[in-house]
């Protein structure tokens, strides 16, 4: 169980330092979605996931004529991964243990996915299409595992930021937790 993986606590101080700008006002308020009343991260995850899933689908079903489109989709996924990660880091800074451990594993798997999809994009631009496809398939596996953990955080652990007005409406408590430093 990731929540009990104390080894992830060794990585957290470095990640906190590197990602600290995403947890500082006023940027944190924007990234946490205070202006829209709920977290922005789940909304943005659809972009890289959608682009990358479409690229892999074209690799599997599109044939040689779909290769340029698959490569463009990989690039779009890489471009949207940054803003998606920024919103995730802002959320992560709100977490207490054991949820922060799950968030750390989620981030590490997403980092691996980004690296693999970047490798796929580079390989394709070097004319190594099959190598690019292999990297893309591996990236899909890493992204799927990361997505599972992200879903675990929001579904099972009930983590995410949302406006306190929802609590007043009887929807439930504010689920963002104070950060542990």
């Amino acid at each position: 169980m990731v929540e009990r993986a104390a080894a992830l606590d060794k990585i957290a101080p470095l990640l906190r330092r590197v990602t600290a700008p995403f947890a500082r006002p006023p940027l944190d308020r924007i990234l946490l979605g205070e202006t829209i009343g709920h977290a922005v991260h789940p909304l943005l995850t659809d972009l890289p996931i959608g682009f990358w899933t479409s690229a892999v689908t074209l690799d599997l079903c599109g044939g040689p004529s779909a290769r340029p489109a698959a490569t463009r989709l990989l690039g779009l996924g890489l471009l949207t991964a940054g803003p998606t990660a920024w919103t995730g880091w802002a959320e992560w800074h709100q977490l207490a243990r054991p949820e922060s451990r799950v968030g750390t594993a989620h981030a590490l798997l997403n980092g691996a996915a980004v690296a693999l999809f970047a490798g796929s994009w580079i390989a394709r631009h070097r004319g190594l299409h099959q190598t690019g496809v292999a990297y893309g398939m591996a990236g899909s596996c890493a992204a799927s595992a990361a997505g599972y953990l992200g879903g675990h955080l929001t579904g099972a652990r009930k983590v995410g930021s949302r406006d306190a007005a929802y609590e007043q409406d009887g929807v439930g408590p504010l689920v963002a937790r104070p950060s542990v430093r």
Side-chain angles (χ1 to χ4, degrees), residues 9 49 61 69 94-95 102 119 122 124-125 141 151 155 166:
D9 295 340
I49 291 170
C61 305
Q94 304 296 309
L95 299 179
V102 179
I122 291 167
R124 291 162 196 255
H125 279 280
C141 291
Y166 290 113

Side-chain angles (χ1 to χ4, degrees), residues 21-23 26-34 38-41 83 86-88 90-91 161:
F22 305 112
L27 183 59
D28 67 332
R29 290 191 290 276
I30 295 165
L31 296 175
L32 291 170
E34 285 186 14
H38 58 81
V40 179
H41 186 66
W86 303 339
T87 60
E91 291 281 336
S161 60

Side-chain angles (χ1 to χ4, degrees), residues 2-22:
V2 178
E3 286 92 339
R4 294 184 188 144
L8 292 168
D9 295 340
K10 295 176 183 176
I11 300 166
L14 173 64
L15 292 179
R16 286 199 185 283
R17 280 193 301 277
V18 171
T19 63
F22 305 112

Side-chain angles (χ1 to χ4, degrees), residues 40-154:
V40 179
H41 186 66
L43 168 74
L44 290 184
T45 61
D46 289 352
L47 293 171
I49 291 170
F51 289 132
W52 292 332
T53 300
S54 297
V56 169
T57 301
L58 288 176
D59 286 339
L60 294 174
C61 305
S65 65
R67 289 177 180 181
T71 302
R72 279 192 295 276
L73 287 164
L74 284 170
L76 289 168
L78 291 168
L79 289 174
T80 58
T84 303
W86 303 339
T87 60
W89 288 120
E91 291 281 336
W92 181 75
H93 276 271
Q94 304 296 309
L95 299 179
R97 245 182 247 120
E99 290 84 3
S100 67
R101 290 175 177 166
V102 179
T104 299
H106 171 72
L108 292 172
L109 284 165
N110 275 318
V114 168
L116 289 163
F117 283 120
S120 176
W121 188 83
I122 291 167
R124 291 162 196 255
H125 279 280
R126 291 183 177 165
L128 303 170
H129 179 74
Q130 292 306 320
T131 300
V133 169
Y135 275 118
M137 296 296 169
S140 267
C141 291
S144 294
Y148 171 81
L149 291 177
H152 178 71
L153 281 169
T154 59

